């Protein structure tokens, strides 16, 4: 047992290490306080609007949702990471012990966070129900959270068992993320499909003129969800577990899921560890004539992204996230949610800047030098042209953003009104993506974060991601405000698009001159 605790402590301190930068530490504390306040406010709003039974149901639902999100974000990277393989492969420690410690350490932080958020809930339960019911409800809440965690880990462990079947790591990561998102949103989609008419009726009658009318509308919506959930046999079965025997059965089920997950992951621990370490140790061949060949500079950027599955996943997300948001935008445009006159009149304007922000606000453009890590020394000691290195990084991030933009506009033109103005908006968006990517790496070029052991540290624990926004975001805001102002003063959309296109073209040319001719970056 003592050995297991040491392993658990090792994984907790390795994967949940406190960021070194005081700025990131402060941001994390502020973010946690902000999220906690939002959770508490939402909990109390439901308490004052809904009935005690509805409040109990939605509190369980909220807690399960937060648990699912935290597990998807934190625990997955711990449980299924192979970064520990090089340390434990030659030690006399069984794979089952290692995997068990990883699972326990992976779920510790999310469960602790949800438990802290449940403290105000317990006080409300005490007020509305008896002490026995309050304790029973909190225990049921925590057991359900653990059950959801173990079910998700079991499903992902089955997928991980067939990891070697996938062509490369990025495809595996994409399938895993798709599975996580699919499992998470499937209950929501099922609810929306089954209650489309009732929800539409509530939205049509939505009245936000007064607080009381808004509360009544929210209450109607909560009632629809509660009534629908109570009709489901699975929910009825789970809510019927309110006796000691029922809790024992739930604990036994959690134990069985826990053991099954350990066995499935441990059976492939050494095989997958050797596979990942073999890929990471593959020697890269750089080619010749580095000083004169643009292909080699672009190939270098490609290899840096390919060096870590996390970087490849970021690049894939940069390509697919904007088209996904475009599809959601088009779906919302066909419902009553966006049936507002101003939004309908400026649908194309909103689409342009939604696509623009989603394409630019990614970690690829802001951290190109930090991602190099150990490869950064080669750009300083070998005869590389620093200007070509910088431009290759700009071209790489711009290509990722432009691919997402083009795909999004193709989807938009297929399913929405499109014309000559859409082509102008596409050119504006592409130019602004290029301009943004020229500016955002400037700080990272001067202050790269190179000492990292986990590739996520180069992005998640890197203040450059936030500071890079200060370089590229202002020009997007200014162009957006100018575009909106021209439309507000009744300038025709086509003329407005032409004016903005000319201004953006001049801005792009100016930034290129500043970056490459005057500063000689």
């Amino acid at each position: 047992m003592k050995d297991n605790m040491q392993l658990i402590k090792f994984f907790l301190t390795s994967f949940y290490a406190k960021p070194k930068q005081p700025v990131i530490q402060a941001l994390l504390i502020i973010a946690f306080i902000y999220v906690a306040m939002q959770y508490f406010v939402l909990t109390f709003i439901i308490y004052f609007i809904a009935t005690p039974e509805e409040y109990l149901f939605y509190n369980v639902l909220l807690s399960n949702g937060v648990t699912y999100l935290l597990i998807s974000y934190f625990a997955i990277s711990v449980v299924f990471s192979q970064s520990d393989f090089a340390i434990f492969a030659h030690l006399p420690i069984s794979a089952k012990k290692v995997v068990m410690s990883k699972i326990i350490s992976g779920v510790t932080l999310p469960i602790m966070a949800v438990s802290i958020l449940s403290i105000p809930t317990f006080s409300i339960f005490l007020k509305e129900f008896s002490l026995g019911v309050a304790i029973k409800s909190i225990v049921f809440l925590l057991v359900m959270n653990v059950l959801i965690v173990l079910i998700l880990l079991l499903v992902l462990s089955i997928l991980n068992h067939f990891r070697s079947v996938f062509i490369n790591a990025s495809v595996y990561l994409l399938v895993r993320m798709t599975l996580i998102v699919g499992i998470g949103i499937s209950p929501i989609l099922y609810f929306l499909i089954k209650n489309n008419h009732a929800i539409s009726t509530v939205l049509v009658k939505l009245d936000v003129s007064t607080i009381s009318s808004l509360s009544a509308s929210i209450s109607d919506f909560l009632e629809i969800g509660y009534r629908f959930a109570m009709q489901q046999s699975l929910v009825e079965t789970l809510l019927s577990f309110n006796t000691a025997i029922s809790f024992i059965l739930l604990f036994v089920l959690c134990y069985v899921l826990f053991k099954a997950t350990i066995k499935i992951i441990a059976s492939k621990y050494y095989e997958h560890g050797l596979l990942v370490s073999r890929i990471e140790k593959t020697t890269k061949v750089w080619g010749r004539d580095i000083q004169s060949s643009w292909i080699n500079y672009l190939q270098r950027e490609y290899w840096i992204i390919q060096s870590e599955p996390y970087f490849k996943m970021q690049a894939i997300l940069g390509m697919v996230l904007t088209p996904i948001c475009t599809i959601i935008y088009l779906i919302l445009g066909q419902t009553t949610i966006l049936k507002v006159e101003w939004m309908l009149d400026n649908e194309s304007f909103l689409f342009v800047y939604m696509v623009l922000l989603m394409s630019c606000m990614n970690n690829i453009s802001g951290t190109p030098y930090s991602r190099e890590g150990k490869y950064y020394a080669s750009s300083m000691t070998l005869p590389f042209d620093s200007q070509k290195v910088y431009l290759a990084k700009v071209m790489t991030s711009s290509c990722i953003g432009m691919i997402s933009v083009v795909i999004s506009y193709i989807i938009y033109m297929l399913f929405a009104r499109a014309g000559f103005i859409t082509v102008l908006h596409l050119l504006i968006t592409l130019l602004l993506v290029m301009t943004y990517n020229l500016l955002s790496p400037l700080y990272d070029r001067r202050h790269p974060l190179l000492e990292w052991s986990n590739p996520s540290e180069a992005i998640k624990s890197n203040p450059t991601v936030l500071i890079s926004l200060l370089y590229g975001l202002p020009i997007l805001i200014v162009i957006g405000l100018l575009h909106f102002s021209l439309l507000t003063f009744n300038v025709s959309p086509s003329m407005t698009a032409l004016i903005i296109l000319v201004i953006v073209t001049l801005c792009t040319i100016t930034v290129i001159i500043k970056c490459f001719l005057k500063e000689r970056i």
Side-chain angles (χ1 to χ4, degrees), residues 438-480:
L438 281 166
L439 295 172
S440 58
L442 290 176
Y443 182 83
D444 190 56
R445 180 182 182 274
R446 299 185 181 95
H447 308 281
L449 178 64
L450 304 175
E451 296 180 2
W452 45 264
S453 56
N454 193 315
S456 62
E457 295 177 13
I459 294 177
K460 289 196 299 185
S461 300
N462 194 347
T464 302
V465 177
L466 298 176
I467 298 175
S468 65
L469 297 179
L470 301 178
Y471 283 76
L473 188 59
I475 192 170
L476 304 184
I477 295 175
V478 171
I479 295 296

Side-chain angles (χ1 to χ4, degrees), residues 8 26 138 205 268:
I8 294 170
I138 289 296
K205 296 179 179 179
K268 293 285 185 175

Side-chain angles (χ1 to χ4, degrees), residues 69-82:
L69 291 174
L70 290 175
I71 289 297
S72 300
Y73 186 76
F74 288 104
I76 303 304
S77 59
V78 178
V79 176
F80 298 102
S81 172
Q82 296 292 336

Side-chain angles (χ1 to χ4, degrees), residues 366-378:
T367 57
Y369 288 93
S370 296
R371 289 197 308 273
E372 290 196 17
K374 59 186 178 181
Y375 297 119
Y376 182 78
S378 64

Side-chain angles (χ1 to χ4, degrees), residues 200-430:
S200 300
T201 303
V202 173
L203 291 175
V204 169
K205 296 179 179 179
L206 181 65
D207 185 5
V208 296
S209 57
T210 62
I211 295 179
S212 59
S213 61
L214 178 61
S215 299
S217 300
I218 296 175
S219 178
D220 293 338
F221 186 80
L222 294 176
E223 183 182 357
I224 294 173
Y226 177 75
R227 186 172 62 249
F228 175 75
M230 292 302 104
Q231 296 172 355
Q232 309 304 310
S233 57
L234 178 61
V235 176
E236 291 181 353
T237 303
L238 291 175
L239 293 180
S240 65
F241 288 164
N242 54 8
T243 63
I245 297 177
S246 301
F247 279 115
I248 292 174
L249 291 176
L250 283 175
F251 280 114
V252 170
L253 178 60
C254 290
Y255 179 78
V256 171
L257 292 174
F258 179 64
K259 283 294 186 179
T261 304
I262 293 174
K263 186 174 182 179
I264 293 173
I265 299 176
S267 65
K268 293 285 185 175
Y269 179 74
Y270 290 104
E271 179 182 334
H272 293 162
L274 290 171
L275 175 65
V276 172
S277 61
R278 184 167 65 248
I279 293 174
E280 290 178 349
K281 293 178 181 179
T282 302
T283 305
K284 305 296 184 182
V285 181
W286 293 93
R288 301 178 180 179
D289 198 15
I290 295 176
Q291 285 184 305
S292 60
S293 177
W294 277 107
I295 298 299
N296 287 319
Y297 282 95
L298 292 174
Q299 190 179 42
R300 182 175 185 271
E301 298 306 313
Y302 173 76
W303 279 336
I304 290 172
I305 292 178
Q306 287 283 318
S307 65
E308 298 287 349
Y310 185 83
F311 296 157
K312 290 187 283 187
M313 195 66 237
Q314 290 291 324
I316 293 173
L317 281 177
M319 293 181 189
V320 303
L321 193 58
T322 307
I324 291 174
C325 291
T326 298
I327 294 172
I328 297 173
Y329 178 84
L330 292 173
I331 293 174
L332 293 177
Q334 302 300 320
T335 64
T336 57
I337 298 175
L338 293 181
K339 297 301 183 182
V340 180
E341 184 178 354
W342 182 85
M343 290 185 177
L344 291 176
D345 293 339
N346 297 277
E347 178 186 353
S348 59
F349 167 79
L350 295 174
F351 173 74
V352 170
Y353 290 95
M354 183 274 292
V355 170
L356 183 61
L357 290 174
M358 292 301 300
S359 301
C360 291
M361 303 303 168
N362 59 70
N363 298 326
I364 296 296
S365 63
T367 57
Y369 288 93
S370 296
R371 289 197 308 273
E372 290 196 17
K374 59 186 178 181
Y375 297 119
Y376 182 78
S378 64
S379 64
M380 295 292 101
T381 56
L382 296 179
F384 289 124
D385 187 330
S386 61
Q387 187 172 349
K388 289 183 179 180
V389 170
Y390 183 83
L391 188 56
K393 296 182 181 300
V394 171
M395 292 173 65
T396 301
S397 56
S398 296
C399 285
I400 294 172
M402 288 178 178
I403 289 172
S404 67
V405 168
V406 172
I407 294 174
S408 299
Y409 269 86
I410 290 174
I411 296 172
Y412 181 77
M413 288 188 286
L414 288 175
F415 298 99
R417 293 175 297 174
F420 177 69
I421 190 174
T422 307
V423 178
L424 295 178
H425 286 161
L426 173 61
L427 294 176
I428 292 171
T429 307
L430 293 176

Side-chain angles (χ1 to χ4, degrees), residues 97-115:
K97 281 189 176 182
V98 174
V99 173
M100 181 186 69
S101 302
K102 291 171 72 173
I103 292 176
I104 294 175
S105 60
V107 303
T108 297
L109 182 61
I111 295 298
M112 286 179 59
V114 174
S115 301

